[in-house]
Amino acid sequence: MASIAWLYSSSAVNLFSSWAGLELQATNVSRMKAYKLWRMTESDKILRDYTKDTIATQPRVLLSDDDADADLDVILPSDVPTSLSLKVPIEYGGMRLDQALAKLLPEYSRSRLQDWVLQGQITMNGAVATSKQKVWGGESLSVIPQSNPADQPYQAEEIAINIIYEDASILVINKPVGLVVHPGSGNWQGTLLNGLLHHDPAMGVVPRAGIVHRLDKDTSGLLVVAKSLIAQTALVRQLQERSVRREYLALAYGEIERGGRVDKPIDRHPSQRTKMAVVEGGKPAITHYSIVESFPGCTLLRCKLETGRTHQIRVHMAYLHHPLVGDHIYIKGAQKCPPQMREVLLDFPRQALHAEHLGLEHPETGEWMEWQVDMPDDMQQLLKKVRLIAHEHT
């Protein structure tokens, strides 16, 4: 593991130390663990010292689009040279280029270095290099660091946001289908986060502009956002304590006879890394479901979350062999369904999932608050067609 001494330039460390009031020492821990350790020991101090004056110096925290347990990175200011000139030590002879680069430039991740190789940003002895190319010692390397979109400040964008409730501490939003919540690979602009920064620039001081939980791009419904660090901390604690009430309406394939509870761990699919799956040793995940309305070949369910894993309802219902209508990621093969109903269900272009109900304790007043929003038009029209077919089928 790289030591903290390798992580930042001296100017960046001084800035970070000054902001946090810390004395950093070189320790053999990862960046993620070092940051988590700092957060654990200094969380009370952060809350006490929180003011709007920290906007200029607060480190930017990046969280992956998975869930609140994802790895953290602190991006600190540093002077990045336009190019780096390196000489491969003789003792690195026989290594692949990417392995040698990881040793020569430990302040960058191996995946970042491999991206630079693929983009032609690294040359060896004057020629464009390849990742699996061998080095034998003595080669001259030229590296042109290229910024990653994730390293850039988030930009405020004028994006329509359907605000259900707002006060000085929180925002409650009815997210439409198609809106990505947080910037990530392939979606660096046009997200809810960008819209929040335009709606209230002061939210830029709060990590991830106050976002504490997510909905998938094609899932509609209620989402709460914190407007201050204190509110964000309180909401995260409620999520961790599983006291936030989150209820969804979902149209699932199959004629489900009774409600139930799914308690199965979820993690990345072992071979298809863009999917999630029930995985032994994964993160705890609990979903409760009850029947709202039954139809030939499908069932409208109310799903209540205890935990909030990525794709949780979608994965758990697929695990029960009742995947959500329109969920092309988790549907496996043809679903048993009357022909006329099958045609309508197959025509629905997204997962039939809507976050209908949200309840939480207000982070400032302690008052219990609840909100509810109707399904969007596309799901309402789908159910109208399903009910018509069900009526004709009887």
Side-chain angles (χ1 to χ4, degrees):
M1 287 291 188
S3 69
I4 295 177
W6 282 107
L7 295 182
Y8 316 111
S9 66
S10 59
S11 61
V13 170
N14 290 337
L15 174 60
F16 187 58
S17 302
S18 173
W19 177 77
L22 299 174
E23 294 183 5
L24 297 182
Q25 297 179 340
T27 307
N28 288 328
V29 295
S30 68
R31 291 185 294 173
M32 180 185 74
K33 290 180 179 177
Y35 182 69
K36 284 184 176 179
L37 179 61
W38 173 76
R39 288 288 296 239
M40 289 169 62
T41 57
E42 294 294 311
S43 58
D44 290 340
K45 184 178 186 299
I46 295 172
L47 293 177
R48 289 197 305 271
D49 294 348
Y50 171 69
T51 69
K52 290 187 178 180
D53 293 337
T54 62
I55 292 177
T57 53
Q58 182 182 352
R60 178 177 169 208
V61 180
L62 298 180
L63 192 59
S64 83
D65 203 37
D66 294 343
D67 54 37
D69 299 322
D71 292 354
L72 292 169
D73 249 342
V74 180
I75 308 300
L76 294 175
S78 60
D79 297 325
V80 180
T82 56
S83 66
L84 300 171
S85 297
L86 306 168
K87 184 77 74 172
V88 178
I90 296 299
E91 59 266 28
Y92 289 2
M95 289 184 179
R96 293 199 318 261
L97 174 61
D98 60 340
Q99 294 172 328
L101 285 168
K103 287 182 171 292
L104 290 167
L105 298 169
E107 62 270 37
Y108 298 112
S109 69
R110 182 170 293 189
S111 62
R112 179 70 57 86
L113 293 169
Q114 289 171 338
D115 284 344
W116 290 349
V117 172
L118 292 173
Q119 294 162 11
Q121 304 300 120
I122 298 177
T123 61
M124 184 163 67
N125 294 332
V128 175
T130 62
S131 289
K132 295 183 179 180
Q133 193 171 353
K134 294 277 190 177
V135 297
W136 303 106
E139 293 90 346
S140 296
L141 302 178
S142 177
V143 180
I144 302 176
Q146 188 177 59
S147 65
N148 188 291
D151 293 345
Q152 306 308 310
Y154 297 130
Q155 301 299 314
E157 298 179 52
E158 188 173 359
I159 296 169
I161 301 175
N162 184 2
I163 298 173
I164 303 300
Y165 174 84
E166 181 176 13
D167 62 23
S169 299
I170 61 173
L171 271 170
V172 176
I173 293 163
N174 184 11
K175 188 190 86 67
V177 172
L179 179 63
V180 175
V181 171
H182 190 279
S185 180
N187 293 288
W188 296 110
Q189 290 88 36
T191 71
L192 174 61
L193 184 146
N194 301 114
L196 290 170
L197 293 177
H198 181 271
H199 171 73
D200 185 353
M203 293 175 72
V205 72
V206 188
R208 295 190 297 154
I211 293 170
V212 293
H213 67 123
R214 291 183 173 93
L215 296 176
D216 297 331
K217 176 183 177 181
D218 290 329
T219 298
S220 58
L222 291 168
L223 194 76
V224 64
V225 179
K227 295 181 67 176
S228 71
L229 186 59
I230 292 173
Q232 187 181 50
T233 302
L235 290 174
V236 168
R237 283 174 180 162
Q238 289 184 56
L239 288 165
Q240 291 172 339
E241 293 166 358
R242 305 181 183 180
S243 62
V244 176
R245 182 177 176 184
R246 288 173 288 172
E247 296 184 3
Y248 295 69
L249 291 175
L251 187 64
Y253 276 104
E255 298 176 16
I256 302 172
E257 296 181 354
R258 62 182 64 86
R261 177 177 184 267
V262 187
D263 183 357
K264 293 292 179 181
I266 290 176
D267 213 329
R268 288 282 174 195
H269 191 286
S271 59
Q272 302 175 54
R273 304 302 290 173
T274 59
K275 295 175 62 175
M276 307 301 287
V278 170
V279 177
E280 188 73 27
K283 295 171 183 175
I286 301 173
T287 305
H288 301 263
Y289 62 96
S290 59
I291 297 171
V292 177
E293 199 169 351
S294 298
F295 311 103
C298 61
T299 307
L300 181 63
L301 301 173
R302 182 176 302 281
C303 299
K304 294 176 64 175
L305 295 180
E306 277 195 34
T307 55
R309 304 303 173 204
T310 303
H311 300 177
Q312 179 172 316
I313 293 173
R314 299 164 64 187
V315 171
H316 275 168
M317 296 316 298
Y319 175 79
L320 296 179
H321 306 292
H322 294 295
L324 302 191
V325 169
D327 195 347
H328 305 296
I329 292 178
Y330 294 106
I331 291 175
K332 294 181 180 178
Q335 303 297 307
K336 187 177 180 180
C337 196
Q340 191 178 2
M341 187 72 80
R342 179 182 297 111
E343 184 178 343
V344 169
L345 299 183
L346 287 175
D347 196 44
F348 197 67
R350 67 173 181 95
Q351 65 266 14
L353 184 63
H354 171 68
E356 181 198 40
H357 192 98
L358 176 67
L360 54 85
E361 184 180 285
H362 192 279
E364 293 284 349
T365 67
E367 177 188 0
W368 180 258
M369 304 183 74
E370 294 186 304
W371 300 269
Q372 185 165 313
V373 291
D374 292 335
M375 289 181 290
D377 289 342
D378 63 345
M379 271 189 75
Q380 292 193 38
Q381 290 301 314
L382 172 64
L383 284 170
K384 185 177 179 180
K385 294 176 183 178
V386 166
R387 290 184 181 113
L388 181 61
I389 295 170
H391 179 73
E392 294 173 350
H393 193 266
T394 56

